[in-house]
Amino acid sequence: MESLEVTKLSKALLEGKVVGIPTETVYGLGALATNETAVDKIYRIKNRPSDNPLICHFYSYEQMLKYVTWVPSYLLLLVKTFSPGPISYLLPISPNSALLPATRGGLYVVCRIPDHEKTLELLRVVNTPIAAPSANPSGLPSATSAKMVFDYFGDQVAGVLDGGRSEVGLESTILDCRNQDRVIILRPGKIGKREIEECLNHYEEKIRVEEYQVSHEVVPGNKYPHYSPTTPIVKIQSPQQITTTSNYLILASDEGVKKYNLKADAQKSIYIQSFGSLLSLDHVAQHLYENLLRVDQYGISQAYLLEEDWGESSIGKSIQNRLSKVGGSF
Ligand code: TXA
Ligand code: MG
């Protein structure tokens, strides 16, 4: 027997409504992927450009296979290793696929099996893929808690399934799996090139793992600004570049704060906000969007983001990727 919360939200989904769903990466704004009117509502609520397709969520690999027309033979190994988990696969669908509302008529769909018990339960109950972009108005930081979704959308959504704080905090890695001999990473995430190569080394044939070059040619969302609060943010390489003398905030890692001896000054309304330590990148990722959104609460007119080297690990490179898009320049 499913929980009352899941029963209520599955009913809303089946009635064509939009609901907030928890996943281990970020929260999603979900509707039945096969219901065009419901999917259109997501675009309206998010103010999302209409050429930007939505990821479809499934409760199992078997369910995914019912909707795609072809998979490369190495996919099973990737799925067995990483799914359910923070990874998505771009695969072909047929011209009369039921998922066309979510792909905006395109013949490829991004598929994900999220690693969150409540959302997996919801997916099983509705027994239809759920299309869900990250739960944020376009351009703003993605929601990583039910409260963030409520604060963003209030009663524009039929409800939010509260699944606690998203464990990863950054959106899934997106893999282009449309070729038999190679995998292309279209969006970096917690699972990176290193982990994918290590997994595919166990495969019987050699599969190349490439990182995206001009990824917005495949992933339309990569060409839009992201993750920015309303307060203007300027990137700086060092605090010497700060031109204002009061009423600003600096965002940096713990190490950045220490290196430049950054200090808050209440009288001048100068604030320092740390992302956390370079030594605890999982924690930094988990709180990244919450910290970016918090910038608007200081009532300042300018924020500065210290550019730093977040290291070579997959999670560090993903943090770097997300921060590179803050403030609209990417
Ligand atoms: O972790 C995640 O992936 C979260 C959770 C909710 O699952 N979802 C998410 O969705 O990040 P969204 O819409 O914020 O980002 C999805 C990206 C967009 O850049 C979009 O352009 C791309 O994936 N995308 C989705 N479907 C696509 C398709 N059929 N072809 C190419 N790109 C696609
Ligand atoms: Mg998004």
Side-chain angles (χ1 to χ4, degrees):
M1 216 16 219
E2 73 246 16
S3 73
L4 272 177
E5 223 186 340
V6 168
T7 310
K8 186 181 144 231
L9 291 188
S10 61
K11 208 166 148 265
L13 282 171
L14 292 166
E15 284 167 1
K17 294 182 177 149
V18 174
V19 304
I21 56 168
T23 88
E24 80 284 24
T25 56
V26 298
Y27 272 66
L29 211 51
L32 293 191
T34 53
N35 182 332
E36 194 169 353
T37 324
V39 169
D40 283 348
K41 264 186 223 161
I42 297 180
Y43 284 81
R44 272 204 307 281
I45 297 175
K46 262 195 80 130
N47 193 21
R48 183 178 178 94
S50 64
D51 70 338
N52 195 0
L54 306 180
I55 297 184
C56 291
H57 298 74
F58 301 83
Y59 60 81
S60 70
Y61 186 49
E62 289 66 36
Q63 188 195 25
M64 229 172 89
L65 290 179
K66 287 188 191 152
Y67 287 86
V68 298
T69 48
W70 177 87
V71 297
S73 56
Y74 60 75
L75 188 67
L76 182 62
L77 179 60
L78 289 178
V79 168
K80 276 189 176 161
T81 311
F82 300 118
S83 297
I87 192 160
S88 303
Y89 312 99
L90 180 65
L91 293 163
I93 53 174
S94 81
N96 51 12
S97 166
L99 300 179
L100 293 178
T103 66
R104 309 314 276 172
L107 295 184
Y108 300 98
V109 65
V110 174
C111 302
R112 184 158 108 80
I113 308 168
D115 188 12
H116 196 293
E117 223 15 81
K118 281 194 180 180
T119 292
L120 288 172
E121 195 187 349
L122 186 66
L123 281 162
R124 278 190 286 264
V125 174
V126 296
N127 199 24
T128 307
I130 296 178
S134 53
N136 54 277
S138 273
L140 269 71
S142 309
T144 47
S145 67
K147 181 176 182 307
M148 279 173 86
V149 185
F150 274 120
D151 290 349
Y152 275 146
F153 299 110
D155 52 17
Q156 286 180 288
V157 292
V160 182
L161 189 57
D162 190 349
R165 181 191 295 283
S166 294
E167 213 179 294
V168 177
L170 303 178
E171 298 82 353
S172 62
T173 307
I174 302 181
L175 298 184
D176 183 344
C177 295
R178 296 177 297 172
N179 301 288
Q180 178 51 49
D181 61 342
R182 67 184 192 276
V183 174
I184 308 165
I185 304 175
L186 297 172
R187 177 173 71 181
K190 185 181 165 79
I191 299 169
K193 188 164 192 255
R194 190 177 304 170
E195 291 79 8
I196 294 161
E197 269 173 353
E198 152 69 18
C199 164
L200 291 175
N201 274 343
H202 299 282
Y203 189 64
E204 60 219 43
E205 291 160 36
K206 171 94 189 109
I207 309 293
R208 279 198 325 250
V209 182
E210 298 170 3
E211 276 169 307
Y212 63 92
Q213 296 301 325
V214 197
S215 62
H216 63 260
E217 281 174 2
V218 185
V219 174
N222 284 356
K223 68 175 182 268
Y224 296 110
H226 271 89
Y227 319 119
S228 302
T230 312
T231 311
I233 297 194
V234 167
K235 287 178 199 141
I236 51 171
Q237 281 86 47
S238 91
Q240 276 86 51
Q241 290 173 283
I242 295 177
T243 47
T244 35
T245 51
S246 64
N247 201 27
Y248 66 83
L249 167 84
I250 308 178
L251 286 154
S253 69
D254 284 353
E255 287 77 3
V257 172
K258 228 183 244 154
K259 177 175 173 194
Y260 292 106
N261 195 20
L262 301 177
K263 289 214 166 61
D265 182 336
Q267 290 198 330
K268 292 189 184 161
S269 296
I270 296 174
Y271 304 96
I272 310 297
Q273 194 183 295
S274 173
F275 289 122
S277 169
L278 295 165
L279 300 175
S280 358
L281 293 178
D282 285 341
H283 185 266
V284 172
Q286 202 179 45
H287 296 268
L288 190 71
Y289 295 144
E290 204 181 286
N291 278 328
L292 286 170
L293 194 60
R294 190 170 294 149
V295 171
D296 288 336
Q297 292 175 6
Y298 288 87
I300 38 121
S301 51
Q302 182 68 61
Y304 295 97
L305 172 61
L306 182 66
E307 288 188 328
E308 297 178 82
D309 182 358
W310 291 89
E312 287 307 304
S313 68
S314 301
I315 194 82
K317 279 160 74 175
S318 304
I319 292 170
Q320 194 105 48
N321 167 269
R322 302 314 192 264
L323 288 178
S324 76
K325 298 181 183 220
V326 171
S329 62
F330 52 95

